[in-house]
């Protein structure tokens, strides 16, 4: 299995609070991605990174920000969580070719 | 935008073949993928096919691509109970920093 960990694995938070999810990889891969998974929607891309300090928006980026200060870590921040952000969040990584993405175990976030 | 569609459910008997179908709309798709998700787990990359191929076989898995009809299928031979999972089709267009667009997933149930 690709060396990807996500923390926390489960979190319950209240509407309006900030939340940061962490993705850590030990593969030294260039690309990192954040997706959310919701029933009936499959996985949708939130943000991705193509190198340290290089990030771009995905399909559903509103309400989310990301940072990548080191190759191994990619952080996803919800500045002010809303109930619509209740979801399962997956991190993925990919090497320089970018054609094989490997996924972490996921973080289940509940916003009450 | 890009769209990937799959049927939601498929049930088969143990030992039979399973065929999971997917259609996509983006004619510039470069690679097409099949991922497997078991309950409570992340996504596991099963196989992928480059758009200039029409078939790829890997042990019990056969991927067929009809580029003209934008139709992708995954055949699992001798389906086992351990194959019960959600299967996601995904595609990435060329020049997209390898962003994946996923279908909603097909729940495969293998009956004893």
């Amino acid at each position: 299995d690709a060396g990807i960990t996500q923390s926390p694995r489960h979190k319950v938070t209240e509407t309006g609070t900030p939340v940061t999810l962490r993705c850590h990889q030990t593969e030294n891969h260039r690309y990192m991605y954040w997706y959310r998974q919701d029933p009936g929607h499959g996985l949708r891309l939130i943000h991705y990174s193509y190198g340290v300090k290089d990030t771009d928006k995905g399909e559903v980026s509103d309400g989310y920000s990301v940072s990548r200060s080191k190759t191994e870590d990619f952080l996803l921040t919800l500045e002010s969580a809303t109930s619509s952000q209740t979801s399962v969040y997956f991190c993925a990584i990919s090497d320089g070719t970018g054609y094989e993405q490997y996924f972490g175990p996921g973080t289940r976030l509940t916003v009450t | 935008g890009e769209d990937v569609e799959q049927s939601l459910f498929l049930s088969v008997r143990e030992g039979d073949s399973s065929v999971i179908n997917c259609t996509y709309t983006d004619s510039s798709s470069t690679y097409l993928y099949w991922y497997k998700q078991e309950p409570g787990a992340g996504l596991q990359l099963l196989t992928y096919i480059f758009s200039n191929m029409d078939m790829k076989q890997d042990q019990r898995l056969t991927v067929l691509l009809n580029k003209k009809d934008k139709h992708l299928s995954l055949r699992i031979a001798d389906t086992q109970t351990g194959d019960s999972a959600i299967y996601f089709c995904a595609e990435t267009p060329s020049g997209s920093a390898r962003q994946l667009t996923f279908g909603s997933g097909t729940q495969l149930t293998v009956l004893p």
Side-chain angles (χ1 to χ4, degrees):
Chain A
D1 289 346
I4 312 169
T5 56
Q6 293 185 232
S7 58
R9 292 294 314 279
H10 302 271
K11 186 169 182 67
V12 180
T13 192
E14 293 184 349
T15 298
T17 60
V19 177
T20 295
L21 309 182
R22 180 182 183 235
C23 177
H24 179 78
Q25 59 142 332
T26 58
E27 306 294 323
N28 199 36
H29 280 359
R30 176 185 177 189
Y31 293 97
M32 297 185 77
Y33 309 81
W34 278 107
Y35 293 87
R36 59 178 289 175
Q37 183 179 26
D38 304 292
H41 288 282
L43 278 78
R44 292 178 292 175
L45 182 67
I46 304 171
H47 281 279
Y48 66 97
S49 170
Y50 45 95
V52 173
K53 293 188 170 51
D54 293 323
T55 66
D56 206 348
K57 296 178 180 180
E59 178 189 358
V60 291
S61 60
D62 287 350
Y64 302 94
S65 62
V66 289
S67 66
R68 191 167 178 203
S69 59
K70 298 185 289 185
T71 299
E72 58 266 36
D73 289 324
F74 192 33
L75 304 180
L76 177 71
T77 297
L78 291 65
E79 300 291 346
S80 177
T82 67
S83 58
S84 65
Q85 294 175 312
T86 292
S87 188
V88 181
Y89 291 85
F90 287 100
C91 173
I93 65 173
S94 184
D95 65 15
T97 69
Y99 286 120
E100 296 182 30
Q101 288 190 25
Y102 298 96
F103 283 77
T107 293
R108 182 172 294 277
L109 176 67
T110 302
V111 184
T112 61
Chain B
E2 302 90 356
D3 197 17
V4 179
E5 295 194 356
Q6 306 176 235
S7 53
L8 292 179
F9 303 100
L10 176 65
S11 292
V12 299
R13 292 282 178 192
E14 191 173 14
D16 288 349
S17 292
S18 308
V19 179
I20 303 171
N21 294 301
C22 170
T23 58
Y24 61 98
T25 58
D26 189 349
S27 58
S28 70
S29 294
T30 307
Y31 280 87
L32 296 118
Y33 303 81
W34 285 104
Y35 281 86
K36 175 183 180 183
Q37 185 180 33
E38 298 183 19
L43 276 72
Q44 174 193 355
L45 178 61
L46 286 178
T47 187
Y48 60 94
I49 188 169
F50 189 51
S51 58
N52 68 353
M53 300 169 64
D54 52 19
M55 186 181 88
K56 181 178 180 181
Q57 188 153 3
D58 184 0
Q59 300 182 334
R60 292 191 298 123
L61 305 179
T62 302
V63 178
L64 295 178
L65 174 60
N66 182 327
K67 197 172 180 182
K68 174 176 168 289
D69 294 338
K70 298 190 182 70
H71 182 266
L72 183 74
S73 67
L74 174 69
R75 178 177 181 269
I76 306 172
D78 187 25
T79 312
Q80 302 298 307
T81 54
D83 295 323
S84 291
I86 301 175
Y87 290 81
F88 290 94
C89 169
E91 59 91 19
T92 184
S94 60
S96 68
R98 322 303 189 238
Q99 299 176 56
L100 290 175
T101 299
F102 284 85
S104 300
T106 299
Q107 172 74 60
L108 173 64
T109 301
V110 182
L111 305 170

